[in-house]
């Protein structure tokens, strides 16, 4: 092969290698995403650093990263050793330098993403190979190991099960503080009640405050600034459940602001909802390295590297530009959904409730429908291929491990509650999906009305 | 295409379809493993049942199984929704019937494997998408939620970190019971001390007993039959850490026998070490469906389906015959390793310690070496590509969260402890690896001796 | 798994299955493309029909479709038997009903594409697993086997090597007919000269006429209508080299029109250039089934199914809508390239030559540059990452197997020829590429000018 | 990640890199095959050298290696440009240095394999992306272009269609020379008749001799030594059809010997049958570089790189050791088949005919069966999943393009011919397959006998 042809190829290679070197040195998101080929090459190169992939591997232990099924081996790009060591999910594995590098790099890129999205003072970020709920539990157990006498968790009510479960799983006692409704039917945090409860029980009895950002309208983002101030004032830890809030700069700015004015210990969010990867991981970040490391040290055993790998490949694929594009498109789609839903609501004599503190989800009242039949609307939508729309009838009372929530789904027990449906424009949603939803929703409402009359 | 040619193809298809139907109906391991093509077809067919893979999907929720990076999507065969629902890792997801089926089927096949291996009275099995240690923690938290006043965990000492960490992570108090050494230098369970501690603290104070089966020689499998009897006698729950014990019928028969004679609540073991998949999952099984379900209901949030998928593909690939072949080969390799190591030990004036209750791991004394330099042997082996061999110097004292273990690695504090190396013949090990190890180990020992003299 | 959830999945499956059934029955392009998952499932299902993929395969012949390297097996989706039988590339293989179906279906879809693009009277289409040039050779050999005494091929000059080689490879004698230049510097077919040569040699001596549609400007599509009329009038077979012309309705309409008014025996075009697949296949179509079958019967041996598989997956991926989208975008990009190149030409005092009969390629004169240095422009562009631009200096004479072409690249020997560069907006080109080209081309021209002055 | 861990990884990488470097420098087969991961890395690294994979690619030509369907792109590891340039299948492509390297390297490794198998004086080898038959046609056309007046091809009869077709496709005239039968019913070359025909027509009229090595018993390898001597004596080119003969050292030694004693111009063999890859390519080799290059220059157009890629991956996977293992196993399986078939023949009062000059295929007489019903045995075997067994009834006369072969399948027209079945132990066959065949064949024979009586 003539030398001048080879030179051009070598140039192309050099450009690639330069990007990878930059990535490994700076550990920051690339501005532009990499092509699939480059990503795969890089992943394979790292995986070759793990001992199970050495040509002359020789294992006389009980855990040697052997994979017996080829389909399995390939889908993990030959990664077998997971991440972390027995006592610490972020520790280096001698047998698996590639997996360790994968883990460190991904956590670093994730931290860079968090900063880019607006939480500029974030200090440390770790991806946990568990559900967000379980990671919250682990964070609670970590706090508990330090505040052994505190058993109570102050929790701003949000009618979503796993967020509540995580308190019970840690064998702690929740104090549920209902939201309050304003004149526009928006639901906000009852900050006064928080302070009241702190005074009733005493700060020493309270393990922590849990607040929530992203949620189903008409509930909005908790007043985390106020709660952060309480946290600081009374020296009570503060956990923020930012479930799918990383995709929106509104929530991230709330977090940044709250930390500046008060105190936040931990912020958790799911990898799948924010980064468009399969369910499986949770991003935990905070403003104090040691605190985050403490949680890492509570994870007993090695963890799956699967979510970490998904996140790394996704971040390399998107780059800064790719993620910001998704963020902007989502914002536009929210407006588009709002406008179309308002038109529809007007036709059906209903009202769209947009909470100023909720840039992702919106609700539409269903007050002109029979409360007893309103859930049928939800199942009719589902059988027509619409997923994710939730109908709240206000008639359901739900009991979770002995705690009863009246008017489950409403985030507040209030005789004025009306039935409604809630929908979200979350990251990755397309115009087609919104059009499809509006069209089918219209038909379903008409059909239900006709049946009722 | 002529009809008689098509008929032959159709026959081939029918045979395949019959196997799949049998699989779905009986939910038992196939006798013979499937070829890769059939496995992949089956997995894809299931994944098409999830709503994110419907042709006309329309998602207006916050979690719609969108995957933005193609590399990620493909490696998960388009599975995105994970397993379980917010409050229960084994619950069905309406949006994800395929993932739900995947989960149920894999758990069923895993239960069948457990029975085939000898735990015939096992009743229920669930794969948790977490490390074995974290699953132990979850099981402890589940017990704690029922026995609110019990804080102590009776634990037969084994010098492996994550097994101990799981107690601390659950914010419980371990009572460490050293093993006892017999005349052959084998380490066994101090059953008397267990009973003594129960009587000292009272059964009501004790949350549970944790015993271990598979472990590094010279420690052997705990006397789980005796501990099971204590569990039954005093009505104290009993957890068995069967870490990599599912691969050996010795351990599984111990478990079956112990449950018949006494009581076992939970048995945990890792997916990677027993099923040759990447690190990430834990198999929890027991003899009482409700108890196992209770743990499932403690997992807050959805979990990754990645480990479950790995296990399913592996079990379909192996079938009963394939797994039993691995089991038998391992047994032979243990003998082969033993014979060769004994020859080597003889040459170096050392002794191989095989614990009758340990069919996987064996130890070789290093008493003729300087205790201070003995760990060098381990690192020399590692730089020569030998992984998994552990050297115990008897000089190290390790403190984990305030608990100090003297002579860490020895499972017992005893002035007669000698340094040793421990190696294992675990599932998947090859003759080549053993030959390679013996050769390199010999050279390393000679080199160290020469340097010392 | 509850029945109502399963029903929704079953509905989704039914929709898919319906599409596949329709595809197999109608053998027409789908309106909308299929998602990757559905395509892969379909391909795998077909491949399972081949005997090498039967579970209990037993081969005692010399060609049993065994594949020893897993990477190879997977990339062919387990297809091993190729297409055709020893004497006929379109025959059914008893051992390989799946491969046979693959072959038939793909040829049928390809015919449908050809009709959709405007050649409505096309009757039969076969994909040959060889280069376009080799397929032309095979077509020539087929004609030769019927017209044993005819040795001459009338060929409208186009300065592209493989098109000329195919005549020589068939051991035939080309008669080269230069194009003629009109006032706008466009190059057209010298129809008169064709007729003159027919009369000189007599129709019986002439094996066939070869005309070309898609080509580098300033040459345009041959006047295939006029040549078709000659073909009919003198009963001389007519081959059309439609190399990359299937992507443009201009060329396809020319072909349809020419066949209506005269005669075309064979039309060849490459799969890679028209369908955006890797190099490897050629589409041969015509208006008389028997004639096309005759060529199929000339292919000695089985052929690779690789190109056919690529084409099938691509056509399933695109559907009618997807391909037409590419066709329309290309047309727009041609305009965009033209406008930008005209601006650039104006700045550099040059002229863009667009041949009305060439909707893909355009030329820009380089008359203000030193003829001896003009090829440097081409290599400077190449080292800057621009591929596909061709510079014609008018100084090169090229001899191929004894035939000399003066002013190679010009398609005509003419003292008025000026140097030029030719570029194309072919299917799949992006706006980015055009912008990038214009920018770099400008810089190169400036640099060359500065060096010259 | 600590430096000592990284060092061990770096060592592992160095070993890999060394192997690749050696491969590229020596261009010889590796002794031991590479693992899948290393192969894939290497292939991807080469493919990145092609311009369609440059990050900033900008294409303004008509063939830019764009691939629109991701499934297609991936299965070709991003190779798009094929191999060769318009006039020469082995030429370097400026746009595609990676594909060019792929092509050169694979041809070199293939030559090394040929030498290793025993044709030590082989000088040059090229893989053609076409069927063996088509490659024979191309070789014939190449000879024809040099010996313009020679139209006849002397051909030792073998009743396999594509081998005969290739002569007709090149528009040449075959002279069919029947084999002769010896006392053991073996069929051998009628060398005398060859010389007689040469003298009748004169060497100048004869384009070439075509001989065959591997074939269905009772026919054996042609006496290529004698034919080579005739070739040399009369200066008539000699083509050897070594279809699946590369897998057996018997055939390769015949070739080496024949070339030493006389003359061979070209040897062709299929990639699929000898290298266990999917159908699609042909290996052409010879003892004179220029001659082989002449054929390469006859291939009009670029060719698919698909077969070349398959061969490269397979040769890297196997290494010298892997291929030789297959060769030895096949030899053993031939013995095993022979022994078992002889037992069966004895039971059914038939005879196995093994031709000393045929180490792959053997025949078993079916003389005790009704000639009219004997083909039923073949189709009964086929419906029972046995592929590759051929039944010759001696009753069939076949006409191919005007040439009639009496007693088609017998390789000789002879009134003493008896019906028989022929089976082969070719590379990759397993003991299981042979056992399965013998068992089913026995049952079929019994069934047919019972029906007859």
């Amino acid at each position: 092969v003539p030398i001048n042809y080879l030179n051009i190829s070598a140039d192309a290679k050099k450009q690639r290698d330069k990007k990878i070197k930059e990535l490994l040195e700076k550990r920051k998101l690339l501005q532009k995403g990499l092509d699939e080929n480059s990503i795969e090459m890089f992943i394979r190169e790292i995986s070759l650093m793990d001992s199970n992939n050495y040509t002359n591997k020789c294992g006389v232990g009980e855990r040697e990263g052997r994979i017996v099924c080829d389909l399995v081996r390939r889908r993990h790009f030959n990664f077998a050793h997971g991440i972390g060591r027995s006592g610490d999910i972020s520790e280096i594995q001698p047998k698996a330098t590639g997996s360790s590098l994968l883990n460190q790099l991904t956590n670093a890129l994730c931290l860079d993403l968090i900063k880019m999205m607006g939480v500029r003072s974030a200090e440390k970020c770790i991806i946990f190979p568990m559900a967000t709920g379980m990671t919250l539990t682990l964070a609670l157990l970590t706090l508990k190991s330090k505040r052994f006498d505190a058993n109570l968790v102050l929790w701003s009510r949000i009618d979503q099960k796993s967020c509540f479960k995580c308190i019970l799983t840690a064998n702690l006692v929740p104090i549920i503080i209902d939201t309050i409704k304003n004149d526009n039917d928006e639901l906000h945090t009852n900050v006064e009640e928080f302070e009241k409860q702190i005074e009733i029980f005493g700060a020493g009895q309270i393990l922590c405050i849990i607040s929530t950002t992203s949620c189903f309208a008409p509930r909005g983002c908790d007043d985390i600034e106020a709660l952060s101030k309480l946290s600081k004032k009374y020296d009570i830890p503060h956990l923020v459940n930012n479930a799918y809030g990383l995709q929106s700069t509104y929530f991230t700015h709330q977090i940044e602001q709250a930390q500046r004015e008060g105190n936040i210990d931990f912020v958790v969010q799911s990898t799948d909802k924010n980064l468009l990867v399969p369910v499986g991981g949770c991003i935990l970040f905070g403003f104090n390295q040691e605190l985050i490391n403490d949680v890492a040290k509570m994870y007993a055993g090695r963890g799956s590297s699967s979510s970490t790998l998904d996140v790394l490949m996704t971040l390399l694929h998107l780059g800064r530009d790719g993620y910001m594009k998704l963020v902007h498109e989502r914002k536009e789609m929210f407006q588009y959904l709002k406008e179309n839903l308002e038109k529809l609501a007007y036709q059906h004599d209903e009202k769209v409730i947009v909470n100023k503190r909720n840039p992702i989800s919106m609700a539409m009242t269903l007050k002109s429908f029979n409360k007893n039949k309103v859930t049928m609307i939800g199942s009719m939508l589902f059988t027509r291929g619409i997923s994710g729309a939730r109908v709240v009838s206000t008639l359901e009372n739900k009991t979770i491990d002995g705690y009863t929530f009246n008017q489950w789904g409403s985030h507040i027990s209030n005789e004025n509650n009306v039935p409604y449906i809630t929908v979200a424009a979350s990251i990755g949603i397309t115009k087609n999906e919104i059009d499809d939803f509006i069209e089918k929703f219209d038909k379903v409402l008409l059909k239900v009305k006709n049946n009722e009359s």
Side-chain angles (χ1 to χ4, degrees), chain A:
Chain A
V1 182
I3 195 74
N4 57 331
Y5 295 172
L6 285 174
N7 284 346
I8 296 172
S9 300
D11 275 357
K13 185 173 155 52
K14 239 179 262 169
Q15 281 181 31
R16 252 169 231 274
D17 290 352
K18 208 177 126 192
K19 274 199 181 174
I20 297 297
K21 210 183 153 205
E22 186 194 315
L23 182 73
L24 287 171
E25 280 173 1
K26 298 201 181 159
R27 305 209 168 187
K28 305 256 183 218
L29 292 173
L30 296 170
Q31 194 65 38
K32 285 188 184 184
L34 293 178
D35 60 296
E36 190 179 297
N37 214 11
S38 301
I39 297 172
E40 195 165 345
M41 285 290 283
F42 175 56
I43 297 296
R44 282 177 190 280
E45 212 138 344
I46 300 180
S47 95
L48 287 177
M49 296 170 72
D50 277 8
S51 60
N52 60 312
N53 297 320
Y54 296 168
T55 317
N56 300 315
K57 65 191 165 212
C58 172
V60 291
E62 80 291 356
R63 188 185 55 82
E64 297 299 335
R66 297 181 184 113
I67 306 182
V68 77
C69 175
D70 238 34
L71 274 166
V72 173
R73 184 182 55 69
R74 289 199 310 268
R75 82 180 202 87
H76 290 283
F77 296 87
N78 307 295
F79 282 113
H81 280 290
I83 51 175
R85 291 186 79 177
S86 26
D88 186 342
I89 197 69
S90 62
E91 215 179 320
I92 304 294
Q93 280 187 50
K95 273 185 193 175
T97 48
S99 294
S100 302
L101 178 61
L102 165 77
N103 197 18
Q104 289 188 345
L105 178 62
T106 311
N107 288 339
L109 294 186
C110 225
L111 180 62
D112 192 40
L113 181 83
I114 290 161
K115 288 181 172 180
M116 174 183 82
M117 281 301 291
V119 193
R120 253 163 276 140
S121 43
E123 269 290 317
K124 174 92 184 180
C125 159
I126 290 177
I127 296 169
F128 280 79
M130 295 193 296
T132 311
M134 281 305 293
T135 308
L136 268 171
T137 296
L138 195 66
L140 290 171
L141 291 169
T142 308
L143 293 176
K144 175 75 180 166
S145 73
K146 298 171 181 216
R147 292 165 67 85
F148 222 81
D149 296 327
N151 276 314
L152 304 177
V153 174
L154 293 190
W155 180 66
S156 179
R157 176 173 167 187
I158 168 168
D159 289 1
Q160 195 265 339
K161 201 174 166 193
S162 79
C163 179
F164 184 67
K165 280 287 304 187
C166 70
I167 302 169
L168 306 179
T169 296
N171 286 316
L172 298 166
V173 180
I175 296 180
I176 304 162
I177 299 174
D178 267 30
T179 55
I180 45 178
K181 193 180 278 199
N182 74 3
D183 294 347
N184 291 323
D185 290 326
E186 300 173 11
L187 304 176
H188 293 293
T189 317
N190 191 345
V191 180
E192 263 176 52
E193 183 65 21
F194 266 86
E195 188 148 21
K196 197 171 137 194
Q197 294 292 333
I198 294 170
E199 276 162 11
I200 289 171
F201 290 102
Q205 291 295 313
I206 297 168
L207 183 69
C208 68
I209 292 166
I210 297 183
S211 61
T212 297
T213 58
S214 57
C215 57
F216 310 131
R219 194 190 188 285
C221 177
D222 272 324
D223 186 349
I224 55 175
E225 196 176 325
L227 296 178
S228 283
K229 286 177 182 163
L230 289 184
S231 161
K232 196 172 186 179
K233 178 173 169 191
Y234 291 100
D235 201 15
I236 298 171
H238 181 197
L239 272 69
V240 177
N241 180 10
N242 188 37
Y244 44 101
L246 192 56
Q247 67 188 282
S248 158
T249 50
Y250 177 82
F251 294 126
T252 51
H253 290 141
Q254 291 285 319
I255 292 165
E256 177 72 7
Q257 191 60 20
Q259 163 65 9
R260 282 177 195 274
E261 303 290 326
N263 173 66
I264 292 174
D265 295 83
F266 301 118
V267 185
V268 295
Q269 47 257 299
S270 82
T271 54
D272 61 301
K273 299 194 197 91
N274 291 293
L275 300 179
L276 300 173
V277 294
V279 163
C282 174
I283 303 165
L284 174 80
F285 76 82
F287 308 88
N288 178 323
Q289 290 211 25
E290 216 171 307
L291 261 176
I292 302 298
N293 288 339
D294 286 344
V295 184
K297 282 177 192 148
M298 288 294 276
Y299 188 97
R302 276 166 184 78
S304 168
S305 60
S306 193
S307 289
T308 298
L309 183 56
D310 290 345
V311 169
L312 179 58
M313 294 199 296
T314 299
L315 292 180
L316 292 178
H317 167 70
L318 290 171
R320 300 173 84 84
D321 290 352
Y323 194 75
M324 288 317 294
K325 189 163 174 273
L326 285 171
V327 166
H328 293 311
E329 285 172 355
R330 193 209 65 74
K331 224 169 157 179
E332 283 169 27
M333 284 304 109
F334 179 80
Q335 280 309 315
Y336 184 74
L337 174 60
K338 179 167 167 281
E339 284 159 25
N340 282 277
L341 197 61
E342 279 171 346
K343 273 184 225 162
L344 189 79
Y346 181 79
Q347 284 162 19
H348 290 275
D349 216 18
E350 301 285 355
K351 178 183 140 193
V352 171
I353 312 173
V354 174
N355 186 318
K356 283 183 312 287
R357 297 179 63 82
N358 194 331
I360 292 181
S361 165
M362 63 193 73
M364 185 180 112
T365 58
L366 296 172
K367 59 180 160 36
S368 50
F369 294 84
N370 184 332
K371 274 190 183 187
N372 288 300
K373 293 185 179 165
V374 94
T375 53
M376 209 174 61
I377 293 171
S379 59
M380 284 172 76
L381 286 172
F382 190 60
T383 55
R384 278 155 185 77
I386 308 295
S387 63
R390 272 176 191 78
V391 171
V392 174
S393 70
T394 75
L395 297 178
E396 190 188 359
N397 297 333
K398 189 177 191 98
T399 301
I400 302 174
D401 290 337
Y403 296 86
T404 297
F405 294 81
N406 290 324
Q407 301 190 313
W408 172 256
S410 303
H411 315 293
I412 178 175
S413 306
N414 184 314
E415 54 188 18
N416 297 326
N417 283 346
V418 294
Y420 64 83
I421 187 169
T422 177
V423 289
S426 61
I427 196 164
I429 196 172
T430 61
K431 211 164 157 296
N432 274 352
E433 286 177 297
I434 295 173
D435 291 340
D436 192 19
F437 162 65
I438 294 287
E439 190 191 320
K440 288 180 180 163
F441 188 26
D442 190 21
K443 282 188 191 156
V444 163
L445 292 181
L446 289 172
K447 189 159 186 188
V448 172
K449 267 183 195 161
N450 287 341
N451 285 355
E452 287 193 350
S453 63

